[in-house]
Amino acid sequence: MSVSKKKTANDIESEIDSRYDREMKKTDRGGGSCCSCTKFLVFILFLGGALGLIFGLVDIEQIENFFTGGNSSPNANSTDASGVSNFEFMQCPETGECCNGLQSNCDLRVNEIMFATLHNANHDKLLVPNHEEPLEGALEVGYRGLFLDVCKCENPLTNSVEITFCHGVCGVGTRDPTEVFANVNTFLDNNPSEVILINFEMSVGDPIPSDIWNVMLSNDALKKKTLNYDGKAWPTMRDLLADGRQVVAFAHNVDCTTDPKVLGCSSGRISNFFAYAVETAWDFPDVAAIKAYDLSCAEDRGANGLKNFYSVNHFVTGTFGPSKSSANTLNALEEVKNRVEACEAKTGHRVNILSIDFWQRGDLPQYTQTVNTARAKPKRSRFLRWLFG
């Protein structure tokens, strides 16, 4: 009978080392799967760290700046970080008439003044929004033009098709028109001297202007405030307000000539935009493209219409969608001034609508008042000479 030898600590340690060596040889012969897993894990951690560095420490606007030629630092502007205006848009005296913030605007016709305008005004939420805050705040600081995209979208809760505001795709940039109209009407009730220009773009689902007009009909007060344009000379701001009209409504992306009896298409309440307005191109990839004034100021859609209004698109849609960094550059007072003066000189048209993204960035309401004051001065001077001989 053999007696097993009692293992010492050294024997146990040697046995463990031997087993470890054998397992390592098996791993090496098996293609090093353990080592491969470790390398893959390290790669994932490295990639995550790199992405975190790019999107965490480097602002996305700096990346936009590389592609669009914008400015990653917000310019000195007329609104603070919370959207509260540092510029007093309402400059009328305490007594006397007032039209869109200025007494002198009352002498001007609707198609003679400039409206600071929001492009894709309904899109202030993800994905890739055109604005950082809702349009209601923009009205408070002096914006008087709203471009809204009208969509026909399915509501899965009611299993029906509804009229809504969206941007390119149902569910993106969505606002309820009933809510928007109610809020706009409240603003106009609180500011009876103000006139808003609205342009509806017929977008997803092939809506027609009568679809959105039918929604407006549900807000009787707003309907009554909407100009019933007769196709003659555009009224002065004074006459418009005296008649209780505070909304001038247009629509585009629909052929209003095929059926002139379609309610809200050519009935006068929602007029065909390009029958009365000519606009610039809108698909600018970077700031440099907008600064190429020979091209960026040229007539585009509406060139065969009456051209009562001249609409200038002043925004960049870059690699990452609507560009904040470009807005920092383009919405600054000097850049707005340069574009307007260049476009007016090259086309002979008076800029009536300057449409921008990211309304909280820049000085457009301030510039609008400067321009409108200058436009009204000759008319007011003639009126005073006639009044006092």
Side-chain angles (χ1 to χ4, degrees):
M1 180 177 180
S2 60
V3 179
S4 61
K5 182 180 177 182
K6 187 177 181 180
K7 294 182 180 179
T8 64
N10 289 336
D11 293 334
I12 295 173
E13 184 176 353
S14 297
E15 185 176 332
I16 292 174
D17 288 342
S18 178
R19 288 179 181 175
Y20 176 78
D21 290 340
R22 287 196 300 272
E23 291 298 326
M24 287 300 294
K25 289 178 182 180
K26 288 179 182 179
T27 299
D28 291 341
R29 288 194 299 268
S33 59
C34 180
C35 183
S36 297
C37 289
T38 302
K39 289 179 180 178
F40 180 73
L41 180 60
V42 170
F43 171 75
I44 292 298
L45 291 174
F46 177 79
L47 180 62
L51 292 174
L53 178 65
I54 293 174
F55 293 104
L57 300 181
V58 179
D59 193 286
I60 189 65
E61 293 181 46
Q62 292 178 304
I63 301 174
E64 286 181 356
N65 182 37
F66 177 79
F67 287 97
T68 65
N71 180 4
S72 58
S73 299
N75 55 284
N77 54 39
S78 58
T79 57
D80 62 24
S82 64
V84 177
S85 177
N86 296 320
F87 169 72
E88 187 59 47
F89 182 83
M90 303 296 288
Q91 299 179 25
C92 295
E94 292 185 5
T95 59
E97 60 184 359
C98 184
C99 302
N100 277 26
L102 291 172
Q103 189 176 56
S104 57
N105 276 345
C106 297
D107 297 327
L108 297 174
R109 296 187 182 276
V110 175
N111 64 322
E112 291 178 328
I113 74 167
M114 181 184 290
F115 294 85
T117 301
L118 273 65
H119 167 240
N120 289 338
N122 50 286
H123 195 178
D124 60 86
K125 297 181 177 64
L126 295 178
L127 301 167
V128 290
N130 294 87
H131 304 281
E132 297 157 294
E133 294 291 337
L135 61 88
E136 288 84 351
L139 295 177
E140 295 294 341
V141 299
Y143 288 88
R144 295 294 179 263
L146 302 174
F147 280 28
L148 297 160
D149 289 10
V150 180
C151 305
K152 270 186 175 180
C153 297
E154 291 187 10
N155 186 333
L157 298 178
T158 61
N159 196 29
S160 62
V161 175
E162 297 179 349
I163 298 299
T164 186
F165 294 137
C166 77
H167 185 197
V169 180
C170 289
V172 175
T174 302
R175 288 291 305 269
D176 177 6
T178 302
E179 176 194 33
V180 171
F181 291 152
N183 293 342
V184 168
N185 186 66
T186 297
F187 172 81
L188 294 175
D189 281 343
N190 294 336
N191 298 273
S193 65
E194 302 306 288
V195 173
I196 296 175
L197 184 150
I198 302 177
N199 183 18
F200 299 109
E201 177 179 343
M202 301 298 107
S203 186
V204 178
D206 296 324
I208 59 175
S210 58
D211 290 326
I212 194 64
W213 177 244
N214 287 335
V215 180
M216 291 182 74
L217 287 175
S218 66
N219 189 319
D220 188 62
L222 189 65
K223 180 202 74 174
K224 291 178 179 177
K225 289 182 176 74
T226 303
L227 173 67
N228 192 4
Y229 180 56
D230 59 8
K232 298 178 182 179
W234 290 93
T236 64
M237 297 288 284
R238 177 184 294 109
D239 292 342
L240 196 67
L241 291 170
D243 197 34
R245 309 300 184 184
Q246 292 180 269
V247 176
V248 180
F250 295 100
H252 69 280
N253 272 10
V254 66
D255 184 3
C256 287
T257 63
T258 56
D259 185 0
K261 296 181 180 179
V262 173
L263 181 64
C265 186
S266 57
S267 67
R269 293 300 175 101
I270 299 180
S271 300
N272 184 348
F273 186 60
F274 292 124
Y276 302 104
V278 61
E279 73 164 358
T280 67
W282 55 270
D283 52 344
F284 300 111
D286 51 40
V287 172
I290 287 183
K291 288 187 175 183
Y293 299 131
D294 285 340
L295 295 177
S296 74
C297 294
E299 293 181 359
D300 198 86
R301 293 183 293 182
N304 296 322
L306 295 175
K307 305 178 187 179
N308 297 152
F309 296 82
Y310 179 34
S311 180
V312 174
N313 294 309
H314 195 65
F315 51 84
V316 163
T317 304
T319 305
F320 298 95
S323 173
K324 292 179 182 178
S325 66
S326 296
N328 291 336
T329 298
L330 295 171
N331 297 359
L333 185 63
E334 193 64 24
E335 290 296 333
V336 170
K337 179 176 180 290
N338 290 342
R339 181 84 187 283
V340 169
E341 290 180 352
C343 287
E344 290 187 342
K346 291 182 180 298
T347 64
H349 301 314
R350 180 190 293 111
V351 176
N352 305 107
I353 301 164
L354 194 72
S355 186
I356 66 165
D357 284 339
F358 303 106
W359 62 264
Q360 286 179 287
R361 301 172 184 238
D363 306 290
L364 184 53
Q366 179 178 351
Y367 180 69
T368 298
Q369 295 301 58
T370 299
V371 169
N372 287 336
T373 298
R375 290 180 181 179
K377 192 172 182 179
K379 286 201 170 191
R380 179 135 296 206
S381 297
R382 288 196 297 269
F383 173 75
L384 292 175
R385 287 197 299 271
W386 171 83
L387 185 64
F388 296 107

